[in-house]
Amino acid sequence: MSVRHSDRLRTRRRRHSAAVAGLLALGVVAAGCSSSTSDQASTRSGGDDASTSDSSPSASAAPRSAATVASNVKARGVQVDKTLTLTARDGTFKRVTVLAGKKGALRGGLSSDKNTWTSKQRLEPGTRYRVTAVAVDSDGVATTKHSAFRTQPLSLDQQTYPSFAPVEGSTVGVGMPVIVRFDVPVSDKKAIEKHLSVTNSSGQKGAWRWISDSEVHWRPVHYWKPGTDVTVKADVNSIPAGNGVYGQLSRKSTFHVGDAVVSKVNAATHQMKTFINGKLARTTPITTGKPGFTTRSGIKVIVEKFRHKRMNSETIGIANNSADGYDLDDVEYAMRVTYSGEFLHAAPWSVGSQGYANVSHGCTGMSTANAAWLYNISKPGDVVDYTGTDRPMTLDNGYGDWNLPYAQWKQGSALS
């Protein structure tokens, strides 16, 4: 009965300057490295993407180290999903740092033999990294390598930002799926899904399923257990999403699962039974969709709530001036269960039919008092299970996740 809600707005955000912290264990030969004879030798700055060290020592200077340093990156256009690797030849690393200006240092670590340093943090786009690596040969003579490299720049259209539902810190119902939406479509779903995770305090198992190129859901095998705390992570920063697009930012969110509020609507008997934590709390006379506007049967989940909601028939394709047209500017206690416009709400105009006949345009109507009671105990994620009609609920019309058996649900994972 109302305009379809869309929470897929693409919010363009300034890329978060992720801290780039850690030590680097190798000099970058491919990035224009040059060396000094020992740790005591001074260095001077080179150009924007390469640096140079002091010239060769005189005959009276300290002996030249046999150790050399090599890198696996070039000076410019390094892809952000590249793992930086530095290698010490004829020697071992004593110290490595990789700095990204004000962003700090790139985290990394040495191999057990100190011959290799590998970055443990992903690179940021359009950033110049300065490498300083000190290696020591078998005689203890050190050499210092200075180099620099720059990563490829990325526009916002080349980066995809993950957003979550439910929102951080919220309390939800037992039917709430975990939802990650991307503001730029993902074509390499496998690469992205490998970096998505859900953990929960109840230890419930579950699986991801892609609803579209921009939206992926995770649900447990069965409804959430009340009292469960859930953490979702999208560790997608600089992960390739396909077609030259990369993850824009790594994010995480937490939410809490509250009481199990499950309503069971029977459109044939015009009754709704509401259970709280498994116990029947109220039986409510209702009305659902009349012929031509049949309410969908299946498992629905409350998507959002409105204390007051304007409902206009034109939003569902019915002209206001037609026999079935309407424009109600103050519908009370409205709870959306489908994107196409099905709500549970107060319907004082149809009280005479509630419990006896279906007279609505698809919504579930009840008295104002009953609607207020349900509204006050309900939250997004609460389950509303409909029976009694031959029109099925669909997977993507709201949170229709529970209408697929779990064995079929998990086949929608890119990793299945």
Side-chain angles (χ1 to χ4, degrees):
M1 289 190 196
S2 173
V3 176
R4 171 171 176 167
H5 173 74
S6 172
D7 50 5
R8 303 183 186 186
L9 294 178
R10 293 182 53 190
T11 304
R12 291 305 192 186
R13 299 159 178 80
R14 181 176 302 169
R15 167 173 282 272
H16 172 69
S17 297
V20 204
L23 294 179
L24 226 119
L26 224 109
V28 184
V29 170
C33 293
S34 58
S35 64
S36 63
T37 313
S38 67
D39 280 341
Q40 289 75 32
S42 61
T43 61
R44 61 179 182 271
S45 298
D48 182 53
D49 288 296
S51 61
T52 61
S53 61
D54 281 350
S55 58
S56 299
S58 64
S60 61
R64 183 180 295 275
S65 175
T68 61
V69 176
S71 168
N72 69 332
V73 300
K74 57 186 179 179
R76 289 181 177 272
V78 178
Q79 292 186 335
V80 293
D81 61 330
K82 185 77 171 180
T83 298
L84 178 63
T85 301
L86 304 173
T87 305
R89 296 170 181 167
D90 298 323
T92 57
F93 285 115
K94 180 180 179 182
R95 182 175 67 254
V96 176
T97 58
V98 179
L99 298 177
K102 295 181 180 179
K103 295 179 181 179
L106 185 70
R107 293 195 306 270
L110 287 172
S111 59
S112 58
D113 60 7
K114 296 185 179 181
N115 290 139
T116 304
W117 183 95
T118 305
S119 60
K120 295 181 179 179
Q121 187 176 1
R122 298 184 198 118
L123 303 175
E124 295 295 320
T127 301
R128 182 175 184 256
Y129 291 84
R130 292 164 43 239
V131 181
T132 302
V134 179
V136 180
D137 65 14
S138 59
D139 293 327
V141 180
T143 184
T144 300
K145 296 283 188 177
H146 300 280
S147 64
F149 66 90
R150 187 180 293 277
T151 52
Q152 65 183 132
L154 296 175
S155 68
L156 286 176
D157 287 337
Q158 293 174 292
Q159 300 174 79
T160 186
Y161 182 91
S163 59
F164 298 126
V167 298
E168 167 67 30
S170 58
T171 296
V172 301
V174 296
M176 185 72 199
V178 174
I179 301 172
V180 183
R181 295 185 177 97
F182 296 93
D183 66 349
V184 175
V186 173
S187 58
D188 192 346
K189 297 180 178 65
K190 183 176 291 186
I192 290 294
E193 190 178 325
K194 285 179 179 178
H195 292 85
L196 303 177
S197 65
V198 175
T199 56
N200 63 88
S201 61
S202 297
Q204 290 181 252
K205 304 298 183 182
W208 294 99
R209 182 182 182 90
W210 288 86
I211 306 301
S212 69
D213 289 346
S214 299
E215 185 169 333
V216 60
H217 292 200
W218 190 98
R219 52 154 274 204
V221 180
H222 305 292
Y223 295 148
W224 291 111
K225 296 177 181 179
T228 298
D229 292 310
V230 183
T231 299
V232 54
K233 294 181 180 179
D235 185 22
V236 299
N237 184 48
S238 298
I239 295 299
N243 293 331
V245 174
Y246 294 84
Q248 183 177 355
L249 187 68
S250 290
R251 304 185 66 213
K252 80 171 185 176
S253 184
T254 60
F255 63 89
H256 179 75
V257 180
D259 288 336
V261 178
V262 177
S263 294
K264 297 185 177 182
V265 176
N266 189 323
T269 63
H270 320 294
Q271 300 290 321
M272 176 177 70
K273 295 181 181 294
T274 300
F275 298 82
I276 301 176
N277 295 324
K279 295 182 179 180
L280 179 64
R282 181 173 293 200
T283 299
T284 303
I286 50 91
T287 184
T288 60
K290 62 186 178 180
F293 301 92
T294 303
T295 302
R296 296 164 178 83
S297 285
I299 301 173
K300 302 169 189 174
V301 172
I302 294 177
V303 176
E304 56 185 346
K305 297 169 57 180
F306 302 91
R307 176 63 182 82
H308 300 273
K309 179 72 173 174
R310 181 179 181 181
M311 295 187 177
N312 188 301
S313 63
E314 290 184 343
T315 66
I316 58 172
I318 304 172
N320 282 342
N321 59 3
S322 71
D324 287 307
Y326 57 86
D327 187 8
L328 306 171
D329 63 359
D330 190 19
V331 177
E332 294 191 271
Y333 305 111
M335 292 158 278
R336 180 189 293 276
V337 290
T338 71
Y339 293 147
S340 60
E342 290 185 22
F343 287 78
L344 299 98
H345 62 76
W349 54 85
S350 65
V351 168
S353 298
Q354 293 165 16
Y356 303 99
N358 292 325
V359 298
S360 82
H361 292 84
C363 286
T364 302
M366 62 199 78
S367 71
T368 300
N370 282 328
W373 175 83
L374 183 64
Y375 182 93
N376 288 330
I377 67 165
S378 295
K379 55 198 170 295
D382 284 347
V383 174
V384 187
D385 191 353
Y386 284 77
T387 58
T389 74
D390 59 1
R391 187 184 186 189
M393 174 64 176
T394 55
L395 182 67
D396 57 354
N397 187 9
Y399 302 160
D401 307 56
W402 301 99
N403 292 285
L404 283 182
Y406 181 73
Q408 185 178 350
W409 167 268
K410 65 182 183 179
Q411 292 174 8
S413 165
L415 303 178
S416 64

